[in-house]
Amino acid sequence: MLQLLQVHTKYGQVEALSGISLEVRGSSLVALLGANGAGKTTTLMSISGILKPSSGKILFQNKDLTQLDTRKIVDLGIIQCPEGRRIFGNLSVKENLRMGAIRRKDKRHLDQAFARVFEIFPLLKDRISQAGATLSGGEQQMLAMGRALMAEPQLLLLDEPSLGLAPIIVDTIFEVIQRLKREGVTILLVEQNAHLALEIADYAYVLEKGRIVLEGSGASLRSNPDVERSYLSEVPEENL
Amino acid sequence: MSAGEYLLQQILNAVSIGSLYALMAIGLSMVFGILRLINFAHGDLIMVGSYTTLLLLLGGTPFVWASLAGIAASTVAGLLMERFAYRPIRGAPDVAMLLTSFAVTIFLENLAIILFKATSRAFPVPALLNTVVSFGNLQIASLNIISILFTIILLFLLTLFVTNTETGISMRAASQDLVAARLMGINVNRVIAAAFAIGSFMAGVVGILWSAKVGKVDPLMGFSPVLKAFVASVIGGLGSIPSAVLGGYILGALEILLQGLLPANIAPFRDALVFLILILLLLFRPNGILGSAEKEKI
Amino acid sequence: MPTATTQTNHVLLEVKNLSKSFRGLMAVQNYHVRLVEGEILGIIGPNGAGKSTVFNLFTGHLRPTDGSIEFRNIDITNAPPEEIASLGIGRTFQNIRLFGSMSCLGNVIAALQMKERQNLLEAVLNLSRFREQEKRLESQALALLALFNLQEQVNAPALSLSYGDQRRLEIVRALALNPRLLLLDEPTAGMNPHESAEVIRLIKRIHDDYTLTIIIIEHNMPLVMKVCSRIQVLNYGEIIAEGTPEKVRNDPRVIESYLGRAG
Amino acid sequence: MKKTVLFLSAILVIFLISCGSSGGKTIKLGMLYNMTGSQASLDGPSANGAKLAAKEINAAGGVLGKQLELVSYDGKSDAETIGKAAAQLVEKDKVVAMFGFSDSDMVMAAAPIAAKAKIVFITSGATSPKLPSQVPDYLFLSCFGDNVQAAAAAEYSWNTLQAKSAYLLIDKGMEYTLLLGKYFKERFTELGGSVVLEDTYQTGDKDFSAQITKLKALKPAPDMLFISSGPDDIGTIVKQVRDAGITGPIFGGDGYDTPLLMQIAGKGANNVYYTTHSLMDKTAGSPEVQKFIAAYEAEYKTPPENAFAGLGYDTVYLLVDAMKRANSADPKKIREALQTTKDLPGVTGSITFAPGSPIPQKGVAIIEIQDDAMKLAAQVVPEKVPAP
Amino acid sequence: MKQDRSTTIVSLAGIGLAFLALWLLHAFGGYYIERIVIGVGINLILVISLNLANGFTGLFSLGHIGFMAIGAYASAILTLPLSLKSTNLPDLPSFLARTQMAFLPAVLIGGLIAMLVAFLIGLSLMRLTGPYISVATMGFLVIVQVVLTNWDSMTRGARTFAGVPEYTNVWNVWIWAMLVLYIVWRIKFSSFGRKMMAARDNEIAARSLGINVVASRLLAFCLSAFFTGVAGALWAHFITAFSPKSFYFSQTFSVVTMLVVGGLGSLSGSVVGVMLITLLSEILRNAERGFAIGPLVIPEVYGASQVIMAILFVLFIVFRPRGLLGDAELDVRKFFKREKEVAG
């Protein structure tokens, strides 16, 4: 479904991605692991078209995304739920969700999308007219995911959904991720919590300094001693 | 005129001039919210609109149509400004953007001098805008009433727009987090253009009202309003519409009250006092009255 | 200094009842620590537990809502960051904060120079004392950079360094302040295991060479266990466990709220 | 690096080429006005007037058998630029005399440079009577001093309008308005009048409601308003004063001499008086004035924008007259002839320089606007003029 | 950053060459060229001192022309001949009315007064950041403008302050310019400059090193105000007649443009910026009067030079948003080395 071929991306003067190649098959959940600064977020931002790769190709259903504008990429069914949630704090929950559906042409079915999001995250319905900034961290993460789901994406890019959340909320979020996967949404998950990610991932890539150093099925990586030592023994990292 | 009437008259004066400042400040503030650009050339949109109106009036167009065309011209000029001056430099350092807006100002003002000559020209105002309404001892020019009315109507419409339309909400979203807005697929170019269009539209309206109040137009007419709008939007807190409006009225009140109440030998220092108050305000509320403390995360 | 040896058991940092709330939300609650010179303390805990907030309170970047901080018997509870730094607390930041446009050398000299007052007139006249001072600063900075294997990047702007190098440069800069207490906020974040081990080794080395007292916020459990003499575990702004690595590792509350998944 | 050097040297070459001087068989007069910037609205009409005069003179055969050439630079309302332009006029263009500017700052940026080259500088619009003493021998005014017109205004107000009390509004941003207000007050109080309130504004202010409200609160109301203002602001002020229901006489100086006043204030302009050089009216003015207005309209498709147009026009004739009488275009002879100018008719009144005085003796015309028309109310020579 | 003998020699040689060029211009260039050269020198001081405040500390001041005005008025009042004082400034306080100073002390006092004012307002302004400091300093400019316009007894208000002795010449301007350039250069490569730039790059980190951010900004601001005041004084004795409106926004724009074109933080950039803008605006100013290329006659269009400059500036920002040199310096030695290689 999604293919990255030798993608190089610069972030400022520094090359953040030095030739990333990866593949995400339809209806699968692929995890992208790695330490801070390894290039995970840069990879997602390159796919979303916020950063333009200096070379290499990004193909989605055999269509080249490299030169496309972000909104055209959203039109194709790729949406990102960014790191740090980045919800619109001054907008109400409802308005935030509306922004997720902004590229949808069939506004008639918008109600269904709302209903689906509220079914997945019932908490959001109670907060519908509250400003995003007044939500708690966990609620904001739900809002950010709900916002992305409003676009009814084919491919969901999830950047660090567990970041800075209480374990109990992390569990909820991961249940939702698994549910989405069951419902056929293809997911590319960036996660520092390698345990969690590998538990649910079909396939995973490990990034280090802008390169892929390891890849394999979730299970095989979990039993890989290298991964065990450098990632599984580590606890999730904080990033304010 | 009793003391009470005197005060009331001055308050009326403050509200009517404050309305114009508020309308101007909105445009500056909306653009700043999204681009962090202080658009100095915003004032020149007033000039563009006023000259267009004037030329059409001289050609015999009825006032209403001429004004509408003037407002349209301001709007178009604002859009062109965004497209050709500000879009190419998006992401440049703040200073470079600020200076570019100075350059745009210099460009427009000198172009106007070349095209229309530097001398002022009378702006013919229809009688409707030129009468005086009396309430007892109070006199208020019909133009001031119309200015206040227009401001209320435009603010109402603008509020509807930013809370109810998709573009309006997108605009608020973009001013909050431009990257997240792009990730949702919001057409940032369109949103920015819309912000410019709305701001320029308001500037066009101010242009007509301002020219009617002053009675003439000249190529440099935009300088003083933009400076005022700048102060107004900073007083309120750059970047949001309600704070721009608040700032506009506070500035209006401040100017009128200082001019009206200060003894004659201190009154000439009015503008200095206004800016002194602005600086003091910034020290205690570094992000304006309504501005949220944008504290950097550590 | 003859007193140095006798001071080893002196209390360097004494924090009592420290609390900080943001808009009613308690980020840190009743935090306390008594740090003896020469100790290496580790602070661990899940995200949002308030670890970085504790550092920011120590260094004056945040003002506590309640409680007191004493450093070298001086009350620094409400002191500004620059004063605290000059008293001898150096730190690094979780999200790296370098002087991006300046060279590595410049970054380090900016810290080194804080110990040597320069005179504006001497600098302007380029007097020999000033030139010698500059030369000395430069050679000291070069030595420090070499210690952390940054000698190749001496003249490169800090912004152009790789993530790991930036982290190391930040540690060098904090060290250049010649602090009594060094606060390291996730010094190995974003490094591969090999690099992390190297950094930890260096931390131990500077601890020994400079008789430094260090507090480390880390997620890398094995490394924390290896290097720290004492560990505090924070959760929701409160200390839930404290003690030697072994004790902490076996504390049921820690296992439940923090180590559970990893264990 | 190398590109930069190459680029810079290319620019230098172009620069040196553009500096090349041009020679010719014409008599060159240096004309310095601010065509852009804050002073442009005052200076533009003067430049037009001067060009019109030069065109007429050349059409009539020129001076001393040669064509007149006005070499002009834009001062850009900036003293540094003006200094450079004046130096160019002296060195490169080798003009025989210079004129221009309506503001004493600008005059002072150019006149000393002319004087250094022993060339006269005539200011067409700066009316400060103190000005010529700053550049002895080489700086002339082609208009009367502010003290003269202010005295005329005060005397007319006291004697003819029977005004005993006056309200004063002064633009604090211009030398002209400051001096005019000061001299008026001096002469008016000397005559026995009282100034009940003195208020101020800054050039370019657009909203005068606060001042007007203060004025309306005055009890009893003053007999007259003396508003010392430049041509760009006066229409707006009169309009806003009248809009507030104040109908009394408004008096001012030659800054009022612009069609803008009546265009902006409309009916409000009635009962306005001002002192100026001559009645600038297409139908009621003198034959010279009528001819001038017609020619100006034909050339520029607009009536003269303000009094400065006529002053610029007269200034060129003043210089040409001096050259003709000297029968030479030698700067020194021009200066000598200029000093003996006598009864030279012009659209802004006839010009005579008294021996030793670089300020012409001109009568002051008092214009009155009533029934939507301007008329010459009086031609006054003030009895007593305040010292400069 | 390294300091060795060859740099000193190169700098000395550069200064020598500059003065030789000045002498040539002075001897053969005439009055017009001389005025340009003086103008460039004054602008150089203005831009370099603005760079010290804006480029090194990152606080973008739009109010520096206010300091220029203070320096200009102060030194003009101090040097005005006594005879003119009694007629033009009759209300001066008596100690000033009786003083007529020489050029150098007057210039220094002008600079010092500007510096004192900068210190007083800087104590509070230096705590602001981002666009707010620009607004506040712009406010300062307006305040200076209003005060000068209304302080009749000292400044004659809006009336022209004329009769200032014409003391400024190519030599004293360029000695000052070289001096300012040298001093600011030394500051850039000393602990003071590093503190300023550290605080600019990351305020929080700078404070955590013990750098007193407000103090180091204040130092930059005050020194910069001093040099700006000096430039104002030199300008006053160059133009000799001015009024408060000579020191306002159009002056501000032109100086800031030169700074930004050269590059914020780069001193050699400032030098290049001043020269480039001066040359370009002179060319355009002469060209807008109309010219003929063969049969093609371009008529005079006043204002065209500003229009073209504005377009060029926007284009420039599009292609070089950080100015010609960013905050790097031209390395003379490198330049010579490469030349040698080419030659060899």
Side-chain angles (χ1 to χ4, degrees):
Chain A
M1 194 177 204
L2 178 80
Q3 258 187 311
L4 270 69
L5 300 170
Q6 283 302 316
V7 173
H8 291 252
T9 304
K10 275 188 184 155
Y11 194 84
Q13 299 161 324
V14 193
E15 189 170 80
L17 298 185
S18 330
I20 296 276
S21 299
L22 58 81
E23 192 179 0
V24 180
R25 289 179 192 280
S27 305
S28 70
L29 194 159
V30 173
L32 211 53
L33 308 176
N36 235 356
K40 301 174 311 240
T41 298
T42 309
T43 309
L44 293 197
M45 288 299 182
S46 304
I47 297 170
S48 279
I50 299 283
L51 297 173
K52 295 281 173 224
S54 47
S55 70
K57 267 204 164 99
I58 301 174
L59 301 174
F60 180 69
Q61 293 169 334
N62 295 322
K63 207 171 159 171
D64 189 2
L65 304 184
T66 333
Q67 293 311 319
L68 283 188
D69 211 77
T70 303
R71 56 177 204 281
K72 299 283 173 214
I73 293 172
V74 173
D75 285 345
L76 291 173
I78 303 178
I79 200 147
Q80 186 182 150
C81 175
E83 180 184 2
R85 309 185 275 268
R86 304 185 86 148
I87 55 152
F88 305 117
N90 285 350
L91 270 56
S92 70
V93 166
K94 181 155 191 202
E95 287 170 333
N96 265 287
L97 293 177
R98 260 181 92 171
M99 288 299 100
I102 194 147
R103 292 303 292 179
R104 289 184 51 175
K105 302 282 178 285
D106 49 339
K107 304 285 183 196
R108 283 170 290 127
H109 300 302
L110 219 56
D111 288 345
Q112 288 171 18
F114 271 114
R116 178 156 178 260
V117 169
F118 289 144
E119 193 246 315
I120 298 173
F121 300 111
L123 255 169
L124 292 182
K125 197 170 184 184
D126 305 334
R127 306 261 189 274
I128 188 150
S129 53
Q130 226 170 298
T134 63
L135 302 185
S136 74
E139 288 165 344
Q140 289 192 4
Q141 181 61 46
M142 293 178 193
L143 178 56
M145 283 179 69
R147 185 177 64 178
L149 291 178
M150 287 297 288
E152 302 204 330
Q154 293 187 48
L155 173 63
L156 177 64
L157 310 175
L158 271 175
D159 199 349
E160 308 268 13
S162 73
L163 192 83
L165 297 183
I168 182 154
I169 296 169
V170 174
D171 289 345
T172 319
I173 298 286
F174 271 74
E175 270 159 34
V176 171
I177 295 174
Q178 274 172 300
R179 171 186 165 168
L180 292 174
K181 182 193 157 194
R182 275 199 305 277
E183 289 174 4
V185 182
T186 311
I187 297 171
L188 178 56
L189 171 70
V190 161
E191 188 49 78
Q192 290 230 349
N193 191 330
H195 279 284
L196 278 175
L198 290 180
E199 236 165 71
I200 59 171
D202 299 310
Y203 201 81
Y205 294 88
V206 177
L207 253 71
E208 216 170 81
K209 289 186 178 170
R211 286 175 213 282
I212 288 177
V213 292
L214 267 177
E215 61 179 281
S217 69
S220 75
L221 281 186
R222 251 192 303 174
S223 52
N224 181 314
D226 279 353
V227 177
E228 168 70 37
R229 199 176 55 237
S230 53
Y231 295 100
L232 295 182
S233 54
E234 203 180 25
V235 274
E237 202 171 333
E238 189 170 343
N239 196 337
L240 274 179
Chain B
M1 200 188 264
S2 71
E5 283 169 337
Y6 176 78
L7 197 66
L8 201 62
Q9 175 81 57
Q10 293 288 33
I11 289 173
L12 270 174
N13 296 338
V15 173
S16 58
I17 189 75
S19 295
L20 296 184
Y21 293 162
L23 286 182
M24 281 293 290
I26 287 172
L28 270 189
S29 222
M30 282 173 83
V31 168
F32 181 85
I34 303 178
L35 286 181
R36 288 191 63 82
L37 159 74
I38 296 170
N39 184 14
F40 241 85
H42 193 69
D44 298 303
L45 297 169
I46 289 186
M47 183 265 293
V48 171
S50 303
Y51 266 98
T52 311
T53 311
L54 175 68
L55 292 180
L56 288 172
L57 284 176
L58 294 179
T61 317
F63 187 77
V64 174
W65 293 115
S67 332
L68 287 177
I71 294 169
S74 288
T75 314
V76 171
L79 287 170
L80 290 175
M81 201 185 268
E82 190 274 324
R83 180 65 191 84
F84 292 106
Y86 300 135
R87 194 178 297 180
I89 59 153
R90 222 179 267 167
D94 287 1
V95 183
M97 296 213 290
L98 178 67
L99 274 189
T100 305
S101 79
F102 289 154
V104 173
T105 297
I106 291 169
F107 173 81
L108 286 174
E109 287 179 355
N110 285 290
L111 196 64
I113 286 178
I114 293 171
L115 293 176
F116 308 120
K117 297 226 191 75
T119 34
S120 307
R121 296 170 84 164
F123 188 84
V125 190
L128 174 68
L129 293 179
N130 227 350
T131 49
V132 180
V133 188
S134 301
F135 305 95
N137 267 335
L138 293 186
Q139 259 112 13
I140 179 162
S142 57
L143 179 67
N144 288 350
I145 300 176
I146 289 173
S147 302
I148 296 171
L149 275 179
F150 259 91
T151 309
I152 294 170
I153 294 170
L154 285 177
L155 284 179
F156 178 70
L157 290 177
L158 183 65
T159 313
L160 281 186
F161 174 79
V162 297
T163 50
N164 285 314
T165 67
E166 199 156 71
T167 315
I169 303 173
S170 313
M171 207 176 274
R172 282 156 61 215
S175 71
Q176 196 116 81
D177 188 331
L178 205 58
V179 173
R182 284 178 66 192
L183 282 175
M184 293 305 110
I186 290 173
N187 188 341
V188 174
N189 282 341
R190 210 171 63 195
V191 165
I192 292 172
F196 267 91
I198 293 171
S200 318
F201 178 88
M202 303 261 179
V205 175
V206 176
I208 311 293
L209 295 171
W210 189 273
S211 310
K213 188 181 184 77
V214 175
K216 61 170 187 110
V217 298
D218 65 82
L220 308 185
M221 67 185 288
F223 178 72
S224 131
V226 81
L227 208 60
K228 305 275 159 112
F230 193 24
V231 175
S233 52
V234 172
I235 289 180
L238 274 166
S240 91
I241 295 168
S243 43
V245 174
L246 179 73
Y249 284 111
I250 291 180
L251 178 64
L254 213 55
E255 281 194 343
I256 295 288
L257 292 183
L258 288 177
Q259 183 73 49
L261 299 178
L262 288 175
N265 55 335
I266 305 184
F269 290 95
R270 183 198 68 196
D271 284 351
L273 287 171
V274 168
F275 274 94
L276 201 64
I277 291 169
L278 172 79
I279 291 174
L280 290 176
L281 177 88
L282 282 179
L283 289 177
F284 294 106
R285 295 218 37 114
N287 294 297
I289 292 177
L290 291 186
S292 55
E294 205 180 299
K295 215 182 166 195
E296 204 180 344
K297 283 175 184 158
I298 301 166
Chain C
M1 275 192 293
T3 46
T5 46
T6 53
Q7 260 183 0
T8 42
N9 282 326
H10 279 199
V11 174
L12 188 70
L13 184 74
E14 171 97 57
V15 179
K16 285 178 192 155
N17 192 27
L18 193 67
S19 297
K20 174 73 189 174
S21 65
F22 294 105
R23 289 194 220 109
L25 218 95
M26 291 307 274
V28 172
Q29 220 168 338
N30 285 326
Y31 177 86
H32 55 84
V33 73
R34 167 188 280 239
L35 209 57
V36 172
E37 245 175 277
E39 255 191 294
I40 300 184
L41 172 73
I43 301 180
I44 59 173
N47 286 294
K51 304 182 300 287
S52 290
T53 309
V54 168
F55 271 17
N56 290 332
L57 290 169
F58 286 177
T59 54
H61 288 101
L62 291 174
R63 292 247 167 130
T65 322
D66 202 8
S68 69
I69 309 168
E70 258 182 42
F71 178 65
R72 295 163 70 187
N73 295 322
I74 301 165
D75 181 34
I76 57 163
T77 317
N78 285 308
E82 45 273 33
E83 195 185 316
I84 294 172
S86 65
L87 282 172
I89 299 185
R91 72 170 292 182
T92 66
F93 294 86
Q94 185 182 29
N95 44 343
I96 306 171
R97 291 182 170 276
L98 291 167
F99 308 131
S101 68
M102 292 163 71
S103 67
C104 289
L105 196 64
N107 270 272
V108 179
I109 295 181
L112 275 174
Q113 72 186 19
M114 296 311 293
K115 292 287 158 199
E116 309 204 18
R117 290 269 159 237
Q118 278 187 353
N119 176 319
L120 190 61
L121 202 65
E122 282 181 358
V124 166
L125 296 178
N126 202 12
L127 294 185
S128 61
R129 204 175 85 93
F130 167 80
R131 282 207 302 267
E132 275 161 25
Q133 209 171 21
E134 287 285 302
K135 233 176 237 164
R136 192 167 57 239
L137 288 173
E138 195 177 316
S139 64
Q140 282 173 6
L142 286 171
L144 274 174
L145 284 166
L147 188 66
F148 277 73
N149 274 327
L150 287 165
Q151 61 272 55
E152 307 273 301
Q153 285 97 324
V154 165
N155 287 316
L159 213 65
S160 69
L161 299 190
S162 74
Y163 188 84
D165 285 349
Q166 290 194 10
R167 279 241 173 265
R168 280 208 297 267
L169 177 58
E170 212 192 8
I171 299 175
V172 177
R173 191 182 64 187
L175 203 58
L177 207 57
N178 195 14
R180 299 277 287 275
L181 173 64
L182 183 62
L183 308 179
L184 299 173
D185 200 343
E186 303 195 16
T188 68
M191 294 183 181
N192 67 27
H194 184 72
E195 286 178 312
S196 305
E198 173 70 15
V199 166
I200 292 292
R201 197 183 59 74
L202 279 166
I203 290 172
K204 277 192 105 161
R205 183 171 155 197
I206 56 177
H207 168 257
D208 299 342
D209 289 1
Y210 295 76
T211 48
L212 264 174
T213 313
I214 299 174
I215 306 180
I216 303 178
I217 292 177
E218 246 313 337
H219 282 305
N220 198 326
M221 281 300 291
L223 294 179
V224 175
M225 302 279 170
K226 208 183 291 168
V227 77
C228 296
S229 49
R230 184 152 62 113
I231 289 174
Q232 288 183 328
V233 185
L234 254 60
N235 198 17
Y236 290 107
E238 282 184 289
I239 301 176
I240 57 166
E242 181 167 7
T244 60
E246 287 70 36
K247 190 182 155 212
V248 167
R249 208 202 311 257
N250 299 319
D251 189 308
R253 287 213 297 166
V254 178
I255 294 171
E256 181 203 341
S257 67
Y258 187 65
L259 296 175
R261 291 174 181 283
Chain D
M1 177 74 206
K2 246 190 239 125
K3 261 191 216 158
T4 322
V5 172
L6 211 68
F7 181 55
L8 282 177
S9 39
I11 285 180
L12 194 69
V13 169
I14 299 171
F15 176 64
L16 290 174
I17 291 170
S18 73
C19 284
S21 76
S22 53
K25 293 272 157 225
T26 54
I27 294 178
K28 288 183 181 173
L29 295 180
M31 174 168 92
L32 287 174
Y33 284 110
N34 297 304
M35 306 306 293
T36 56
S38 59
Q39 292 287 311
S41 63
L42 305 182
D43 280 1
S46 298
N48 281 346
K51 277 192 240 167
L52 180 63
K55 196 174 167 190
E56 285 175 9
I57 291 161
N58 284 335
V63 199
L64 311 173
K66 286 182 179 172
Q67 290 280 295
L68 199 59
E69 186 186 344
L70 297 186
V71 185
S72 87
Y73 290 88
D74 177 7
K76 302 197 186 297
S77 309
D78 170 63
E80 231 177 294
T81 309
I82 292 166
K84 285 186 269 197
Q88 281 178 299
L89 286 176
V90 169
E91 286 178 356
K92 184 187 134 200
D93 304 305
K94 306 207 168 21
V95 297
V96 296
M98 281 188 218
F99 66 94
F101 296 132
S102 316
D103 177 280
S104 39
D105 279 14
M106 310 291 163
V107 172
M108 286 305 297
I113 295 168
K116 223 179 255 176
K118 305 217 181 303
I119 293 173
V120 289
F121 189 100
I122 303 180
T123 168
S124 57
T127 47
S128 161
K130 278 189 175 175
L131 201 49
S133 65
Q134 313 278 5
V135 189
D137 301 335
Y138 288 95
L139 181 55
F140 291 78
L141 265 59
S142 65
C143 46
F144 49 55
D146 291 325
N147 48 348
V148 177
Q149 60 167 325
E155 287 172 11
Y156 186 83
S157 306
W158 177 261
N159 295 329
T160 313
L161 297 181
Q162 302 276 313
K164 303 287 173 258
S165 62
Y167 160 88
L168 221 58
L169 179 65
I170 296 174
D171 178 354
K172 285 225 60 171
M174 279 205 258
E175 172 146 29
Y176 158 67
T177 51
L178 277 169
L179 289 178
L180 191 67
K182 172 177 166 263
Y183 293 132
F184 174 82
K185 187 180 171 189
E186 206 173 314
R187 184 71 186 120
F188 188 66
T189 48
E190 193 182 41
L191 287 164
S194 66
V195 171
V196 287
L197 178 65
E198 198 178 327
D199 213 343
T200 58
Y201 74 98
Q202 289 290 332
T203 317
D205 277 358
K206 304 294 181 214
D207 181 62
F208 301 92
S209 57
Q211 286 95 332
I212 291 167
T213 305
K214 239 166 144 178
L215 160 62
K216 283 182 67 183
L218 285 178
K219 278 200 182 88
D223 296 338
M224 66 174 294
L225 320 178
F226 188 86
I227 299 176
S228 182
S229 155
D232 282 336
D233 296 325
I234 186 55
T236 307
I237 298 176
V238 171
K239 172 179 170 347
Q240 292 186 11
V241 166
R242 296 301 193 216
D243 278 357
I246 298 167
T247 52
I250 299 175
F251 218 122
D254 60 340
Y256 286 34
D257 197 353
T258 160
L260 274 178
L261 172 57
M262 284 171 78
Q263 287 168 9
I264 296 172
K267 293 241 177 268
N270 289 330
N271 211 14
V272 169
Y273 298 80
Y274 59 88
T275 52
T276 187
H277 318 276
S278 62
L279 176 62
M280 259 312 154
D281 191 85
K282 218 193 289 192
T283 48
S286 66
E288 291 93 355
V289 168
Q290 290 191 24
K291 191 182 128 229
F292 166 67
I293 294 177
Y296 196 93
E297 280 202 51
E299 185 77 15
Y300 303 111
K301 314 280 177 285
T302 162
E305 292 90 341
N306 50 38
F308 295 113
L311 289 169
Y313 181 83
D314 279 358
T315 304
V316 173
Y317 275 104
L318 177 63
L319 277 169
V320 167
D321 171 67
M323 283 190 266
K324 277 184 179 158
R325 281 187 291 110
N327 196 22
S328 158
D330 176 62
K332 187 168 172 252
K333 292 197 173 129
I334 293 177
R335 185 170 71 89
E336 283 162 4
L338 204 54
Q339 280 167 331
T340 58
T341 303
K342 199 165 185 322
D343 297 327
L344 175 71
V347 299
T348 61
S350 78
I351 301 173
T352 300
F353 284 109
S357 167
I359 303 175
Q361 292 175 328
K362 279 175 153 182
V364 180
I366 293 185
I367 309 293
E368 177 185 5
I369 304 176
Q370 296 295 358
D371 306 322
D372 305 331
M374 300 190 289
K375 68 173 208 261
L376 183 67
Q379 191 80 39
V380 186
V381 176
E383 287 164 26
K384 192 181 166 199
V385 175
Chain E
M1 185 172 281
K2 254 186 207 166
Q3 205 64 49
D4 56 32
R5 191 159 292 169
S6 72
T7 328
T8 321
I9 292 170
V10 170
S11 328
L12 282 176
I15 292 169
L17 276 174
F19 274 91
L20 182 70
L22 283 178
W23 182 77
L24 285 172
L25 283 171
H26 186 67
F28 303 105
Y31 195 48
Y32 167 58
I33 298 288
E34 188 179 322
R35 289 194 79 86
I36 292 182
V37 172
I38 293 176
V40 167
I42 293 174
N43 277 317
L44 207 56
I45 304 176
L46 285 173
V47 173
I48 289 169
S49 49
L50 195 64
N51 207 343
L52 174 58
N54 293 5
F56 290 11
T57 67
L59 299 179
F60 208 82
S61 159
L62 291 176
H64 260 62
I65 297 301
F67 298 123
M68 183 184 176
I70 292 173
Y73 269 96
S75 81
I77 291 169
L78 289 171
T79 56
L80 199 68
L82 293 180
S83 56
L84 273 175
K85 266 188 183 164
S86 58
T87 57
N88 288 2
L89 295 166
D91 303 323
L92 273 185
S94 58
F95 74 96
L96 282 175
R98 276 182 276 113
T99 325
Q100 184 184 344
M101 238 177 225
F103 186 41
L104 184 65
V107 168
L108 288 173
I109 291 174
L112 285 173
I113 293 175
M115 180 154 99
L116 184 71
V117 173
F119 178 74
L120 292 176
I121 64 162
L123 279 176
S124 46
L125 285 191
M126 292 301 105
R127 288 163 216 281
L128 298 174
T129 49
Y132 294 99
I133 189 113
S134 305
V135 175
T137 47
M138 204 179 75
F140 166 70
L141 180 60
V142 175
I143 292 172
V144 169
Q145 185 68 205
V146 171
V147 170
L148 291 178
T149 309
N150 290 294
W151 199 1
D152 295 355
S153 62
M154 294 291 269
T155 64
R156 306 191 80 224
R159 286 177 287 164
T160 305
F161 194 111
V164 183
E166 194 181 354
Y167 288 142
T168 303
N169 58 38
V170 172
W171 307 108
N172 50 32
V173 162
W174 276 83
I175 289 170
W176 270 108
M178 291 292 167
L179 198 66
V180 172
L181 179 63
Y182 176 76
I183 291 173
V184 177
W185 183 278
R186 296 286 347 138
I187 288 173
K188 182 174 182 181
F189 296 112
S190 76
S191 65
F192 303 96
R194 280 190 296 267
K195 280 185 199 169
M196 290 165 196
M197 284 181 278
R200 173 193 70 187
D201 282 6
N202 199 317
E203 189 179 334
I204 287 170
R207 296 184 73 189
S208 80
L209 293 183
I211 295 174
N212 187 334
V213 171
V214 171
S216 98
R217 282 178 186 160
L218 197 58
L219 175 71
F221 195 62
C222 288
L223 277 176
S224 154
F226 174 77
F227 295 136
T228 309
V230 165
L234 294 170
W235 191 87
H237 294 273
F238 170 47
I239 299 293
T240 73
F242 46 85
S243 67
K245 63 176 182 288
S246 315
F247 309 95
Y248 217 23
F249 285 98
S250 60
Q251 274 274 10
T252 307
F253 300 159
S254 87
V255 172
V256 171
T257 308
M258 291 176 186
L259 174 64
V260 171
V261 164
L264 280 171
S266 167
L267 296 176
S268 30
S270 294
V271 178
V272 176
V274 171
M275 306 250 182
L276 193 68
I277 297 283
T278 308
L279 272 179
L280 215 57
S281 57
E282 274 309 296
I283 293 167
L284 289 171
R285 190 175 68 80
N286 283 295
E288 74 178 352
R289 300 174 55 236
F291 54 88
I293 308 167
L296 184 72
V297 177
I298 309 287
E300 62 172 24
V301 187
Y302 292 116
S305 66
Q306 287 103 312
V307 168
I308 294 171
M309 277 298 264
I311 295 173
L312 287 179
F313 183 78
V314 174
L315 287 176
F316 182 84
I317 293 295
V318 171
F319 293 108
R320 296 216 67 132
R322 291 185 189 277
L324 279 175
L325 289 166
D327 62 4
E329 297 293 353
L330 278 176
D331 194 331
V332 187
R333 284 167 297 165
K334 213 184 267 175
F335 183 69
F336 280 121
K337 253 179 226 159
R338 207 188 301 169
E339 292 294 278
K340 248 184 239 158
E341 277 160 28
V342 173

